[in-house]
Amino acid sequence: PALLMGNVIIMKIPSVGGLAHFLTMEAFAEALPPNTIQFISGSGRATMPPMMETGDIDGLAFIGGSKAADDLINVHPHPHRLKLFLQLEAKNMGILMNDLFEEFDTDDNYSISHSLDDIVTGALSYNGQRCTAIKIVFAPKGQGEKVAKELSNRVEMLSCGLPWEKSLDGKYSQITPLPNMKRVEYMKGLINDAIAKGANVMNPDGGKVLGSTLMVPAVVYPVTANMDLYSEEQFGPIIPIVEYDTTDDLIQYGQESNYGQQVAIFTRLGGKDVATLVDNFSSIFGKININSQCGRSPDTLPFTGRRSSALGAMSVLDALKEFSVATVVAYKENKQNYGPMSKIVQENIATHSKFMSDL
């Protein structure tokens, strides 16, 4: 989008996965005029602040932590001039409604089994290392242990290994290594803090590290408000489970959280409680998912967030607006004094102007 709107770009290559950009460099070099896009590698803390300090950066598109984003913005000599597009942290809620646990005569509706399958996928795809992952699960009072055991059974079925390795069924590894030891230590710290305050790892080998950075996903229950895992984004393979009494508890969590990207509500029949959550969450989250895991797509819809989760909107159309500023060429039609202005503008100016020409 930034290129389409006429911007010259400097792209910071990520520390992990940077080799893939060698292929994009070659493609850009063939397709774009010289110096349209530049690449810079190295430590973000070492490379980004000096560029921002020059004041020559007009826009910042940043995916990462809110503290790092604030630090970059604050070193710019004119931060009010920056056009900002930020995708930051999230603590996306996965909510299991009471009606999923009630007895029904038929099994035609969305079930608790469907919802737990969606939660495992939503929480552990890409090892949970995506801002759109489900980061915390809420189960009705008295159902938390059942949910934890069912999720544990599903997690045990996931294959762990290197990305190119296949399990006996011929499928590639579903859980792969974390990027570095720092991330592993952070996961272990969250798990140990929860255990010290009364939680349990519900699945065998949950949290176990295989080799250096390959961690077996951990289902942690019961998670309570005094635990770090309750409020901090884990960004990794941990599924924390919290029990709630009423929808007010759910609303309060959403209101008091530092983040506001997405929520996933799982229900069999819907109803007033779900409608109440939707009404309250509409001013808290950027996306409310019904019987679906949290996610970004489709890109025809806005992808937004509130609070420390995002700034700006991403979609096919919105992204073009984020990387541009509208300019209007205006004139008054006054034939009596100046002649036909529309003809002057359209024929004598627009035909010679690159800016006013049709794309």
Side-chain angles (χ1 to χ4, degrees):
L3 288 171
L4 286 173
M5 300 311 291
N7 296 282
V8 174
I9 295 173
I10 301 173
M11 180 176 177
K12 166 65 175 68
I13 298 175
S15 301
V16 178
L19 290 177
H21 290 282
F22 279 104
L23 298 175
T24 60
M25 288 179 192
E26 295 173 357
F28 283 132
E30 291 181 8
L32 299 173
N35 299 317
T36 302
I37 181 169
Q38 303 286 346
F39 293 85
I40 185 168
S41 62
S43 164
R45 287 183 174 85
T47 58
M48 297 297 290
M51 289 192 294
M52 297 296 286
E53 288 171 357
T54 66
D56 294 331
I57 305 297
D58 297 317
L60 174 65
F62 180 83
I63 299 175
S66 54
K67 184 181 183 304
D70 288 341
D71 289 343
L72 283 176
I73 294 166
N74 289 333
V75 298
H76 195 286
H78 310 291
H80 59 278
R81 294 186 187 177
L82 274 175
K83 185 81 170 173
L84 296 172
F85 177 76
L86 311 176
Q87 292 294 330
L88 308 171
E89 305 106 314
K91 191 70 174 179
N92 299 327
M93 303 169 66
I95 300 172
L96 298 166
M97 300 302 292
N98 274 295
D99 61 359
L100 289 168
F101 302 90
E102 298 173 358
E103 295 292 334
F104 290 90
D105 295 333
T106 64
D107 196 33
D108 296 335
N109 297 83
Y110 188 83
S111 68
I112 182 63
S113 180
H114 293 136
S115 66
L116 295 177
D117 289 342
D118 284 338
I119 285 174
V120 169
T121 302
L124 297 179
S125 293
Y126 301 98
N127 304 331
Q129 294 180 101
R130 55 191 181 97
C131 63
T132 54
I134 293 176
K135 304 290 174 59
I136 188 166
V137 178
F138 288 83
K141 193 74 172 180
Q143 301 293 345
E145 186 172 355
K146 175 183 177 181
V147 168
K149 290 180 178 179
E150 289 292 333
L151 288 176
S152 296
N153 293 337
R154 286 164 169 78
V155 168
E156 284 189 68
M157 296 170 62
L158 300 176
S159 59
C160 299
L162 297 172
W164 53 85
E165 293 179 340
K166 292 184 178 181
S167 56
L168 295 177
D169 60 3
K171 295 181 179 179
Y172 287 104
S173 301
Q174 295 162 293
I175 301 297
T176 55
L178 295 170
N180 50 53
M181 282 302 300
K182 183 179 180 181
R183 179 54 45 178
V184 173
E185 292 301 322
Y186 181 62
M187 296 296 108
K188 291 168 65 175
L190 291 174
I191 293 172
N192 291 337
D193 174 78
I195 292 173
K197 295 173 181 175
N200 299 293
V201 175
M202 302 296 290
N203 55 311
D205 296 329
K208 182 179 179 180
V209 179
L210 309 175
S212 57
T213 60
L214 178 57
M215 174 174 279
V216 178
V219 178
V220 182
Y221 168 82
V223 171
T224 52
N226 63 328
M227 300 175 186
D228 294 339
L229 199 51
Y230 184 82
S231 56
E232 291 187 22
E233 182 195 36
Q234 64 269 38
F235 208 75
I238 305 175
I239 305 179
I241 301 170
V242 180
E243 284 194 335
Y244 69 91
D245 286 312
T246 67
T247 54
D248 289 340
D249 297 333
L250 302 171
I251 295 168
Q252 182 179 1
Y253 181 89
Q255 290 173 335
E256 294 179 353
S257 173
N258 290 325
Y259 310 111
Q261 191 200 87
Q262 296 190 45
V263 59
I265 303 172
F266 300 98
T267 176
R268 192 181 183 92
L269 299 173
K272 291 183 178 179
D273 283 347
V274 175
T276 298
L277 290 178
V278 170
D279 289 347
N280 281 273
F281 287 157
S282 64
S283 60
I284 297 174
F285 297 102
K287 187 177 181 183
I288 302 170
N289 304 274
I290 307 295
N291 288 348
S292 175
Q293 59 170 296
C294 299
R296 194 189 82 188
S297 59
D299 286 338
T300 52
L301 299 178
F303 178 54
T304 63
R306 291 181 168 88
R307 302 174 183 170
S308 293
S309 283
L311 181 63
M314 180 191 297
S315 75
V316 174
L317 178 61
D318 290 304
L320 297 176
K321 296 179 179 178
E322 292 293 340
F323 293 104
S324 61
V325 177
T327 298
V328 176
V329 177
Y331 61 90
K332 291 182 179 180
E333 186 66 71
N334 191 330
K335 295 181 180 180
Q336 182 177 355
N337 296 327
Y338 307 110
M341 281 299 297
S342 58
K343 182 178 180 180
I344 293 174
V345 173
Q346 294 172 12
E347 295 184 8
N348 298 346
I349 300 176
T351 54
H352 302 288
S353 169
K354 292 181 179 180
F355 175 74
M356 295 176 67
S357 61
D358 295 332
L359 293 176

